[in-house]
Amino acid sequence: MEGGAERGLECQKIMDGKANNNGVNKEIPSCCLKARASVPESDAQCHSTVVSGWFSEPRSSSGKTGKQLYYNNPMWPGEAHSIKVEDILFQEKSLYQEVLVFQSSNYGKVLVLDGIVQLTEKDECAYQEMIAHLPLCSIVSPKNVLVVGGGDGGVLREISRHTSVEHIDICEIDEMVIDVSKKFFPELALGFEDPRVNLHVGDAVEFLRNSPKGKYDAIIVDSSDPVGPAQELVEKPFFETLARALRPGGVLCNMAESMWLHTHLIEDMMSICRETFKGSVHYAWTSVPTYPSGVIGFLLCSTEGPPVDFLNPINPIEKIEGATQHRRELRFYNSEVHTAAFVLPSFLKQKVSSLRDSASTNGV
Ligand code: JFQ
């Protein structure tokens, strides 16, 4: 463990009031005080993601020098996005990753995993509402739904609006994410309060292997970026496992990164999905200001069976009784946004349609 990380944990204990010296609390080091958000870069070893009051993404934890720490992430090299920090609320290492929560000046509270922004209170609606309703509004009466990842509960909150849904499984590997969300993001974690939710803490690949074939009407993959162990979530065997767990004419909505930054990854994922899912495969996108490049996309796929017209929602949210106001008002998604999300800029449309052409020439 790096010295900075060690000090980070020590600071956390002090902030939690767990560290003491013969019953007398140690003096709180400057890096743990609220004011620490404005320490100069040289003093900012304690919470390595925050320098001079700014959180910067990306950051590679393997870097040794200050510069490497901040500009070395393989997912978006050569750029960084910064958010002004008011207060660090939580920072700890779970079994899987570093979990950080801070209060920002402009976006409310922010959840960060291994240096990557997962959500902010202000713009999470644009992600969670879209990843949930794009698939669920595209089929009639979804009943069984699986969420892969999504431990913050935001996707569950959105699925809860669908009165036809009878059973929701969620498989999240990191229990600390769930606990932290319950403590700091109650508007998201309220998703866990729905009695239809069944929580499974563990590995999603394993969980899917043990799921009965054809069990789900819809699967939503709310994963982290495909770096390290999450890499397998963008590979063919994983998509085959997902397709197997879906009923004929069932739908998948999978987080699919940014069209500005990851065009090749999107092309690769789409060509894998065109081979794996025999129904339709589409790319949709939404605007999330705190994600790299400000946009993020989703792959929508259906298995062979009753055809699914993703572009024209057959199960519009506005027609589901109480859905737009359930627990919290819908802030981003509506049926017009749904259809618009599939409209692609020319450069991406060209790439995606040339894939389709080569797929049909290959007889796929
Ligand atoms: C929110 N429920 C989870 N998932 C967010 N680069 C990911 C966060 C990191 C982004 C991609 C989506």
Side-chain angles (χ1 to χ4, degrees):
M1 198 192 288
E2 285 176 68
E6 255 166 24
R7 269 196 304 263
L9 289 176
E10 187 58 24
C11 292
Q12 186 58 47
K13 282 192 228 150
I14 291 168
M15 285 191 284
D16 288 341
K18 287 181 194 145
N20 60 60
N21 183 6
N22 297 328
V24 181
N25 276 347
K26 275 185 198 164
E27 192 191 341
I28 298 174
S30 62
C31 62
C32 294
L33 293 169
K34 187 171 177 179
R36 60 150 299 289
S38 60
V39 295
E41 181 160 356
S42 54
D43 292 352
Q45 301 299 316
C46 175
H47 303 289
S48 51
T49 47
V50 178
V51 172
S52 303
W54 291 82
F55 164 85
S56 282
E57 176 204 63
R59 162 189 87 92
S60 159
S61 49
S62 56
K64 289 261 185 298
T65 70
K67 288 272 180 304
Q68 277 170 315
L69 277 171
Y70 288 90
Y71 302 107
N72 235 2
N73 187 292
M75 286 298 289
W76 39 92
E79 60 184 273
H81 179 230
S82 300
I83 302 177
K84 190 149 181 51
V85 177
E86 292 287 328
D87 199 2
I88 290 180
L89 304 173
F90 182 90
Q91 184 176 36
E92 224 169 276
K93 269 187 198 268
S94 74
L95 287 173
Y96 303 96
Q97 54 206 339
E98 185 192 65
V99 182
L100 167 71
V101 179
F102 68 87
Q103 180 69 47
S104 70
S105 305
N106 298 350
Y107 286 94
K109 278 180 253 162
V110 182
L111 173 66
V112 179
L113 299 179
D114 273 348
I116 306 295
V117 171
Q118 301 297 302
L119 60 92
T120 80
E121 286 182 307
K122 181 170 175 172
D123 63 11
E124 54 91 7
C125 58
Y127 177 85
Q128 332 265 17
E129 292 181 14
M130 293 293 271
I131 201 172
H133 303 307
L134 288 175
L136 296 182
C137 293
S138 297
I139 51 174
V140 179
S141 244
K143 290 193 173 51
N144 287 316
V145 183
L146 168 66
V147 181
V148 172
D152 52 72
V155 175
L156 296 176
R157 178 193 69 208
E158 294 308 317
I159 298 172
S160 296
R161 298 182 194 273
H162 291 259
T163 46
S164 66
V165 170
E166 293 168 357
H167 185 97
I168 311 169
D169 283 322
I170 173 164
C171 187
E172 162 64 55
I173 200 162
D174 194 344
E175 205 160 13
M176 189 184 279
V177 173
I178 302 169
D179 295 342
V180 159
S181 185
K182 287 184 176 165
K183 184 162 180 197
F184 296 102
F185 299 93
E187 281 214 20
L188 285 100
L190 60 79
F192 285 101
E193 289 164 22
D194 190 311
R196 296 169 290 179
V197 169
N198 302 276
L199 170 63
H200 310 268
V201 176
D203 176 47
V205 175
E206 194 61 33
F207 179 84
L208 277 157
R209 269 194 213 117
N210 298 324
S211 297
K213 188 169 184 280
K215 176 170 181 184
Y216 297 104
D217 299 295
I219 301 180
I220 297 169
V221 180
D222 180 17
S223 58
S224 347
D225 301 301
V227 254
Q231 173 66 34
E232 67 177 317
L233 304 185
V234 295
E235 287 168 359
K236 193 162 187 205
F238 181 64
F239 286 107
E240 287 171 343
T241 321
L242 291 167
R244 187 191 148 274
L246 282 169
R247 59 130 164 112
V251 291
L252 165 72
C253 184
N254 202 106
M255 189 278 286
E257 299 295 350
S258 158
M259 60 183 160
W260 291 111
L261 301 170
H262 309 113
T263 330
H264 291 300
L265 179 64
I266 296 167
E267 283 179 80
D268 288 352
M269 287 170 85
M270 286 193 80
S271 77
I272 291 173
C273 287
R274 289 227 163 91
E275 287 165 22
T276 313
F277 291 83
K278 309 292 186 203
S280 44
V281 175
H282 287 274
Y283 186 81
W285 59 284
T286 185
S287 139
V288 182
T290 54
Y291 285 167
S293 84
V295 299
I296 193 147
F298 310 103
L299 262 184
L300 285 127
C301 311
S302 63
T303 52
E304 195 167 24
V308 177
D309 177 7
F310 283 113
L311 279 52
N312 300 295
I314 195 169
N315 179 27
I317 198 87
E318 295 84 0
K319 296 241 167 85
I320 304 172
E321 210 192 321
T324 60
Q325 296 300 323
H326 181 70
R327 299 282 195 146
R328 195 180 90 164
E329 79 288 359
L330 267 183
R331 294 183 181 170
F332 191 90
Y333 178 88
N334 58 48
S335 290
E336 287 165 308
V337 166
H338 180 123
T339 301
F342 291 89
V343 178
L344 304 184
S346 303
F347 77 88
L348 189 63
K349 198 171 162 186
Q350 207 186 351
K351 293 243 155 70
V352 166
S353 61
S354 70
L355 270 178
R356 186 175 291 136
D357 294 345
S358 64
S360 51
T361 351
N362 296 335
V364 180

